[in-house]
Amino acid sequence: MQNLMTSTTGTLRFPVARAVEAEEFYIRPAEHRDAAALSAVEREAFPMQWPPTRFSREVTRRRTSYLAAARELPISDYTGGPFAPQGSPRDSEAGRGILSRIAASLKQISFIDGLRGAEAPRDYIVGFVGIWFIADDAHIVSLGVRPNDHRKGLGELLLLAAFREARRYGMREVTLEVRASNSPAQALYDKYGFREVGLRKRYYIDNGEDAIIMTTPPIANVEYAISLDSLARSHAVRWGHLLQPAT
Ligand SMILES: CC(C)(COP(=O)(O)OP(=O)(O)OC[C@H]1O[C@@H](n2cnc3c(N)ncnc32)[C@H](O)[C@@H]1OP(=O)(O)O)[C@@H](O)C(=O)NCCC(=O)NCCS
């Protein structure tokens, strides 16, 4: 199957031959009506997070971007279509069958429907990244993917989208904090050239763990921009995910 892909430059479009028939994921800006779905992702990706993020406020903050990784939720999902969303880890304990996946999807919907005046979800959010633009620094405040969708290139897709935002806002570098014990996330950041620049002792209040501060080289640096572009291309060929919804 062929797919049209947009590069990180936002202009170049090239065909991608997919090795396997993949689920179609894309990135889009998170909106006010996504708040409940974002909270659900946060509970799954960051079970120890306290206090929970107030996404309804966060998505409307100035000099902030929240981006969602999502896939479409066509009507056929409710009748067991081939792209029926998967549920939370708790659901997977009860089996990964089509019924449990539909139940998980409906759970997300009814949760949202429970909010006064909430609109129906437009798709199924599997992850998000939050970025604060502080002076010339794009600070990634949160990046998480639902555990059932780990290792599908989505954390990387969200990171690529964060780089695109940083470039769009003219930021000099990208910075974040990561738990000292979080080796999957550190491997992701290493892959994208983040380097340790400091430590915040006992930063996390839940277990007193240290935070490692990591920063990229200047993103406009030619060498770094070339390596970023190459990573984006490899990711596109490997996964076929979209940096924006297909038009
Ligand atoms: C960290 C996280 C976002 C990665 O998301 P993901 O979608 O599973 O990651 P991807 O499939 O895009 O993997 C991209 C790269 O990350 C690294 N990586 C991801 N998971 C890894 C794991 N379990 N072990 C080792 N490396 C891992 C690898 O370098 C990988 O590249 P590769 O596929 O070429 O090996 C995800 O594990 C997560 O949501 N964790 C919980 C929340 C969290 O810790 N967020 C980070 C806070 S700083």
Side-chain angles (χ1 to χ4, degrees):
M1 185 178 155
Q2 292 248 307
N3 182 36
L4 276 183
M5 173 63 62
T6 306
S7 81
T8 46
T9 61
T11 51
L12 182 63
R13 294 175 79 82
F14 54 94
V16 174
R18 294 190 195 173
V20 287
E21 193 68 32
E23 296 161 297
E24 205 134 280
F25 293 99
Y26 52 84
I27 298 288
R28 66 169 175 81
E31 301 169 359
H32 190 268
R33 69 168 160 170
D34 297 321
L38 294 170
S39 296
V41 176
E42 183 178 72
R43 281 195 299 276
E44 285 189 26
F46 301 96
M48 304 210 301
Q49 163 99 13
W50 190 261
T53 305
R54 278 183 57 196
F55 287 102
S56 52
R57 186 184 57 192
E58 281 293 298
V59 296
T60 55
R61 273 173 68 117
R62 286 183 59 244
R63 294 186 65 76
T64 296
S65 280
Y66 269 80
L67 304 171
R71 62 179 162 211
E72 281 185 11
L73 192 60
I75 296 298
S76 61
D77 281 350
Y78 304 106
T79 55
F83 299 108
Q86 296 182 349
S88 66
R90 282 180 294 281
D91 298 317
S92 64
E93 281 164 26
R96 287 172 186 260
I98 204 83
L99 286 177
S100 65
R101 286 189 285 155
I102 294 167
S105 163
L106 290 173
K107 199 191 292 173
Q108 184 187 36
I109 290 161
S110 58
F111 182 48
I112 292 167
D113 282 348
L115 300 176
R116 189 197 303 265
E119 294 174 68
R122 59 191 262 196
D123 48 20
Y124 183 77
I125 296 179
V126 294
F128 66 84
V129 61
I131 314 141
W132 289 358
F133 302 102
I134 305 166
D136 58 359
D137 177 47
H139 194 96
I140 295 183
V141 288
S142 192
L143 189 164
V145 175
R146 290 184 191 266
N148 274 353
D149 290 300
H150 281 180
R151 303 310 315 247
K152 296 179 183 176
L154 294 166
E156 202 170 333
L157 183 72
L158 285 160
L159 192 58
L160 283 166
F163 275 110
R164 193 176 57 171
E165 285 294 273
R167 216 182 267 182
R168 192 159 75 91
Y169 278 83
M171 296 291 106
R172 184 181 139 80
E173 60 200 14
V174 180
T175 303
L176 48 81
E177 279 111 14
V178 59
R179 283 179 190 261
S181 66
N182 192 345
S183 36
Q186 286 169 36
L188 170 62
Y189 305 140
D190 283 344
K191 185 172 174 179
Y192 278 77
F194 285 80
R195 294 286 168 260
E196 255 186 77
V197 292
L199 200 67
R200 294 195 206 285
K201 296 294 274 178
R202 302 187 60 78
Y203 181 72
Y204 296 99
I205 49 173
D206 50 26
N207 63 356
E209 197 174 348
D210 297 343
I212 299 171
I213 308 167
M214 301 187 86
T215 302
T216 61
I219 57 176
N221 169 304
V222 176
E223 236 172 77
Y224 188 66
I226 290 172
S227 85
L228 209 52
D229 213 54
S230 153
L231 283 163
R233 281 164 191 270
S234 306
H235 181 271
V237 171
R238 180 175 173 194
W239 297 106
H241 304 330
L242 301 169
L243 268 169
Q244 59 196 41
T247 47

